[in-house]
């Protein structure tokens, strides 16, 4: 939980993300050695941060004399005129946001930027990132190692850029925040369905970014999407942590404050888009509009499914992907019936990216069940259960498979 903040703060001192990660790990090792003997401190996070910073200062002193370092900093302050920027909450002093923009530097490939930031900021493991990307673990590991090396050898500054350079990195930054939130909202592995700390970090970063870039419609749209998605968190799990499907959720437990914030952010996105874009809503704006449809509906049955299907069609045109098409099929199943949707799903079964994606057989199973094809549905639920690495999802899918068994058996 503390690792991303420690890495971000230490990077400011050592100017090397790879070394900062090592120092953060050293602080965690020190805690494992000292806390069992001396007791856990009142503020564990502050202890870890102080320990890592002390080690960072020691490292800087070993590299060159402390006086020379201070002189260099002094000369830099005297000769460098900072760009004029409006004062906004959590502006350039936000180390986490600084870490995101640094890891999303153009010297890295788009895939490497996202993988590195998910590792450092989101605290995701290599297998978790691989599942998020639907690529082999070895590929992700290589991307992370090479990205750290490149940032070090290119002497990339630890900063939030200004002007055109900031805008050039924005797409990767938004995707990183989106993927971090997704991992927290529906964990790809482990015993828990949710990882709330990841959702909170992603939502906080989206809000800060909205303040930094108030004229960017997709920044507000992403914030709206995350606010609306986060509003359902309390209703998404039962007493034992088991998943609760959208159609079964108690909407009285949805967070109305977050819904209101989401509607406000969506309105800002629409207003900004009206003056800055001519190509229509972007992918995050379309997804936020879909989330807003759910938030407006008082029940699952009252949801405007035709509009959601139309929004997914627009999203498939703007950002085509097998996952978008899978979601579009779900919406069509509600607006036009399961048979129509099953035809779309069957065309996706040969998609390489979805071969190990458990939601494909899960959705197909649900459609088969609605069509009365119970034996086929059971097989698909079991296949989905075998593919997921999340224990709560696996239990739910197996339970649904058992419900497909003929009565009396």
């Amino acid at each position: 939980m503390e690792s991303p903040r420690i890495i971000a703060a230490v990077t400011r001192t050592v100017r090397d993300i790879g070394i900062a990660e090592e120092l953060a790990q050293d602080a965690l090792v020190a805690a494992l050695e000292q806390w069992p003997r001396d007791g856990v401190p009142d503020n564990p996070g502050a202890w870890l941060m102080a320990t890592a910073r002390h080690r960072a200062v020691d490292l800087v002193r070993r590299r060159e004399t402390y006086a020379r370092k201070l002189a260099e900093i002094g000369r830099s302050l005297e000769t460098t005129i900072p760009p004029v920027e409006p004062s906004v909450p959590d502006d350039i002093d936000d180390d986490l946001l600084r870490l995101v923009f640094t890891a999303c530097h153009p010297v890295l490939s788009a895939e490497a930027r996202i993988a590195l930031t998910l590792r450092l900021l989101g605290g995701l493991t290599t297998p978790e990132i691989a599942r998020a990307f639907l690529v082999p673990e070895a590929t992700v590991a290589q991307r992370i190692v090479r990205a750290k090396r490149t940032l070090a050898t290119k002497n990339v500054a630890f900063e939030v850029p200004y002007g055109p350079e900031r805008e050039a990195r924005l797409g990767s930054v938004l995707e990183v925040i989106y993927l971090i939130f997704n991992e927290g909202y529906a964990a790809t592995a482990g015993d828990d369905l949710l990882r709330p700390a990841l959702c909170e970090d992603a939502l906080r970063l989206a809000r800060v970014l909205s303040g930094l870039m108030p004229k960017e419609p997709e920044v507000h749209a992403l914030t709206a999407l995350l606010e609306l998605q986060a509003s359902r968190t309390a209703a998404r799990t039962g007493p034992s942590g088991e998943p609760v499907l959208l159609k079964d959720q108690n909407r009285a437990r949805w967070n109305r404050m977050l819904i209101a914030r989401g509607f406000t952010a969506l309105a800002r996105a629409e207003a900004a888009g009206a003056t800055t874009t001519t190509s229509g809503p972007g992918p995050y704006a379309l997804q936020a509009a879909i989330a807003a449809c759910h938030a407006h509906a008082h029940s699952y049955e009252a949801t405007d499914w035709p509009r959601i299907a139309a929004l997914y069609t627009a999203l498939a045109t703007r950002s085509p992907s097998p996952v978008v098409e899978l979601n579009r099929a779900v919406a069509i199943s509600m607006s036009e019936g399961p048979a129509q949707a099953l035809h779309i799903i069957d065309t996706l079964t040969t998609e390489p990216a979805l071969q190990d994606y458990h939601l494909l057989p899960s959705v197909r199973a649900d459609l088969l069940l609605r069509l009365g094809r119970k034996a086929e549905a059971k097989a698909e639920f079991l296949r989905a259960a075998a593919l997921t690495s999340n224990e709560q999802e696996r239990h739910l899918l197996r339970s649904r498979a058992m419900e497909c068994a003929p009565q009396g058996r």
Side-chain angles (χ1 to χ4, degrees):
M1 291 171 61
E2 296 295 334
S3 180
R5 292 175 178 82
I6 296 171
I7 293 171
V10 173
T11 301
R12 180 187 286 190
T13 301
V14 300
R15 303 290 168 172
D16 186 304
I17 286 177
I19 293 175
E21 187 179 21
E22 292 176 5
L23 292 172
Q25 291 171 350
D26 287 346
L28 296 173
V29 170
L32 290 173
E33 294 172 345
Q34 297 181 37
W35 292 359
R37 182 186 68 239
D38 303 333
V40 178
D42 293 335
N43 190 331
W47 189 99
L48 290 167
M49 182 70 77
T51 301
R53 279 177 164 163
H54 289 157
R55 295 184 181 218
V57 170
D58 289 342
L59 179 63
V60 170
R61 284 171 174 162
R62 289 197 299 271
R63 284 177 171 174
E64 53 186 299
T65 66
Y66 193 51
R68 181 180 299 172
K69 189 67 177 177
L70 288 178
E72 290 177 358
I73 294 173
R75 285 195 299 271
S76 175
L77 291 174
E78 291 171 358
T79 59
T80 303
I81 301 175
V84 177
E85 283 274 313
S87 178
V88 296
D90 293 325
D91 195 5
I92 305 305
D93 289 334
D94 191 295
D95 279 341
L96 285 176
L97 194 63
R98 204 183 292 249
L99 180 60
V100 175
F101 271 95
T102 301
C104 290
H105 197 279
V107 297
L108 304 177
S109 68
E111 295 81 5
R113 297 174 209 167
I114 296 168
L116 179 62
T117 310
L118 286 171
R119 176 73 184 92
L120 297 178
L121 181 78
L124 274 66
T125 64
T126 299
E128 288 170 342
I129 299 171
R131 282 190 288 273
F133 278 114
L134 303 177
V135 297
E137 291 180 25
T139 300
V140 172
Q142 290 174 357
R143 288 175 184 172
I144 292 173
V145 170
R146 290 171 181 168
K148 291 178 184 176
R149 187 184 303 126
T150 300
L151 290 176
T153 56
K154 298 289 186 180
N155 294 317
V156 172
F158 183 58
E159 64 181 5
V160 176
Y162 295 94
E165 188 179 354
R166 182 188 294 179
E167 295 173 5
R169 297 193 213 174
L170 183 59
S172 289
V173 171
L174 293 179
E175 188 171 2
V176 165
I177 295 173
Y178 178 71
L179 287 173
I180 291 173
F181 182 88
N182 279 352
E183 179 60 31
Y185 189 72
T188 56
D191 296 332
D192 300 319
L193 179 70
L194 306 176
R195 299 175 64 180
L198 290 182
C199 290
E200 291 167 6
D201 271 343
L203 192 48
R204 173 178 168 273
L205 284 167
R207 290 168 179 167
V208 170
L209 200 59
S210 291
L212 282 172
M213 310 183 76
K215 296 182 180 179
E216 288 290 339
E218 281 290 82
V219 173
H220 293 299
L222 177 62
T223 304
L225 174 61
L226 302 194
E227 300 275 14
L228 292 168
Q229 294 288 81
S231 71
R232 307 178 204 161
T233 300
R236 294 189 65 241
T237 55
S240 301
E242 69 276 12
V244 178
L245 299 175
L246 180 62
K247 64 184 180 66
D248 299 322
Q249 289 177 17
N250 178 2
R251 299 192 175 210
R253 299 189 66 197
W254 288 7
N255 189 314
R256 307 312 301 182
M257 182 189 72
L258 291 179
I259 290 175
R261 291 180 66 108
F263 289 160
T264 298
L266 184 56
R268 288 174 181 158
E270 292 170 349
T275 58
T276 60
T277 64
T278 58
S279 57
Y284 294 114
L286 291 168
Q287 291 179 74
I290 291 168
C293 287
H294 290 295
H296 278 297
H298 296 295
S299 68
Y300 188 74
E301 293 73 22
T303 305
D304 190 349
W305 290 108
R307 173 164 169 73
I308 290 178
L311 287 168
Y312 269 121
T313 298
L315 182 60
T317 300
R318 186 69 184 263
S319 300
S321 82
V323 174
V324 170
E325 196 66 9
L326 178 62
N327 288 321
R328 186 175 78 90
V330 173
I332 288 176
S333 77
M334 297 303 299
S335 61
E336 301 180 26
Q340 187 74 12
L342 185 61
H343 175 72
I344 298 173
I345 294 295
D346 287 343
T347 65
L348 298 175
T349 56
T350 57
E351 283 286 346
L354 298 182
Q355 291 305 300
D356 297 322
Y357 191 49
H358 71 283
L359 291 181
L360 177 61
S362 174
V363 170
R364 190 169 188 275
D366 187 71
L367 297 176
L368 290 168
L369 184 60
R370 289 167 58 188
L371 290 168
R373 296 159 62 176
K374 291 186 176 182
E376 295 172 81
K378 180 180 180 180
E380 288 291 81
F381 277 130
L382 290 175
R383 189 162 77 89
L387 288 174
T388 184
S389 297
N390 185 279
E391 187 58 38
Q392 294 289 353
E393 282 190 322
R394 184 181 295 114
H395 179 73
L396 173 65
L397 290 165
R398 286 175 176 169
S399 297
R400 297 203 68 191
M402 294 305 100
E403 293 171 0
C404 297
Q407 293 183 354
R409 294 184 64 184

